Amino acid sequence: MGDSLISVFDQLHRILLAELNAAGQLDWSRACVDGSHIRAKKGGADTGPSPVDRRKRGSKHHLICDGRGTPLKVITTAANVNDVTQTVALVDGILPVAGRPGRPHRRPEAVLGDKGYDSNPNREELRKRRILPVISRKGAPNIQGMGKPRYVVEQTFALLHHFRRLAVRRERRTELHDAFVSLACSLICWRRLKKARMIVLRALSRLRLDLRNHDGVFPSPPFTSHYSGFR
């Protein structure tokens, strides 16, 4: 059952990402990676000693989001798994995103990471995928100006862990927990798509009002096929 739920929610996530991409709401110029610990009350697969309190078991969410903080992929591991081990898996785990002419998009132009992602082999793997690694090196000053662009990943974690089911893991089976993670990503995408639609509707309303005041004509709203399904 868990695998089937993951498949359904992953497909939903992919559809909503495509809608966001078609609306110009995805920023492929960069992606941000980070990890966040959560408690695992009942233990289970992919749990381990928490770095915060080694007497308690926990898991870790590894996240990659676009430049605007939209979640693209989340991987669940034991809490004691290093962030650097999941860099390439996160990038390769991004689902192909349609919505624009041409081939589906699945590669950001750059990946931003803190010193926990410092790894020359990972930099080489990213370059092989034509992705620019923007990752701070241990023992060196942080890359200037990277704090603000990376802030979006912290915001995305706050949105994900606002769902109580994700803030504290209660599922012993990882596939069930991952299904809830995928559903949460879909809900975040849906809310962003809904917000983008409302912005467009407000702009169209102002345009119609301006035109009516200008020549007395009240034109019908020029809805595109992209938004017709969300009326």
Side-chain angles (χ1 to χ4, degrees):
M1 179 179 177
D3 290 337
S4 62
L5 281 176
I6 293 175
S7 178
V8 170
F9 292 147
D10 279 351
Q11 185 64 21
L12 176 61
H13 185 202
R14 184 174 179 176
I15 291 171
L16 291 169
L17 283 174
E19 292 292 338
L20 284 169
N21 197 35
Q25 295 298 310
L26 291 184
D27 181 4
W28 293 101
S29 67
R30 62 179 183 267
C32 301
V33 291
D34 207 351
S36 180
H37 301 96
I38 59 170
R39 287 186 58 193
K41 281 194 170 183
K42 298 182 180 179
D46 294 306
T47 63
S50 172
V52 180
D53 186 349
R54 300 191 66 83
R55 295 173 300 174
K56 299 179 180 179
R57 301 187 68 80
S59 294
K60 182 185 284 190
H61 289 148
H62 303 267
L63 166 70
I64 184 169
C65 65
D66 80 325
R68 295 184 177 182
T70 303
L72 301 174
K73 178 66 178 179
V74 179
I75 296 175
T76 304
T77 67
N80 54 348
V81 173
N82 291 330
D83 292 340
V84 70
T85 64
Q86 302 301 311
T87 310
V88 177
L90 284 171
V91 171
D92 290 345
I94 298 174
L95 299 171
V97 179
R100 291 293 183 94
R103 298 176 61 183
H105 214 137
R106 64 179 304 173
R107 293 283 188 266
E109 295 176 16
V111 168
L112 282 61
D114 59 22
K115 295 180 180 180
Y117 292 89
D118 181 20
S119 166
N120 287 331
N122 281 346
R123 289 186 178 89
E124 285 301 315
E125 290 297 324
L126 291 175
R127 292 189 182 100
K128 287 179 182 178
R129 292 160 175 76
R130 298 182 179 180
I131 299 173
L132 175 67
V134 185
I135 300 171
S136 299
R137 294 184 180 273
K138 295 177 181 178
N142 290 326
I143 298 175
Q144 188 175 3
M146 195 172 70
K148 187 175 181 179
R150 270 187 45 80
Y151 179 65
V152 295
V153 74
E154 303 295 339
Q155 292 179 313
T156 308
F157 268 128
L159 293 174
L160 278 174
H161 293 165
H162 181 72
F163 298 98
R164 289 183 295 175
R165 199 85 190 214
L166 303 187
V168 179
R169 177 180 170 179
R170 294 176 173 84
E171 301 79 28
R172 291 183 59 84
R173 294 169 56 188
T174 305
E175 60 267 26
L176 287 178
H177 182 73
D178 284 343
F180 286 117
V181 171
S182 186
L183 176 59
C185 290
S186 299
L187 288 171
I188 292 171
C189 290
W190 164 246
R191 290 170 183 173
R192 294 192 173 200
L193 183 62
K194 189 176 180 181
K195 182 179 179 180
R197 175 179 178 267
M198 291 303 299
I199 292 173
V200 171
L201 289 176
R202 291 192 192 102
L204 290 175
S205 297
R206 288 195 295 268
L207 176 62
R208 293 170 64 196
L209 182 61
D210 290 343
L211 291 175
R212 184 176 64 174
N213 293 337
H214 183 263
D215 55 13
V217 179
F218 193 86
S220 58
F223 284 108
T224 64
S225 59
H226 171 68
Y227 292 106
S228 60
F230 295 91
R231 295 181 185 179

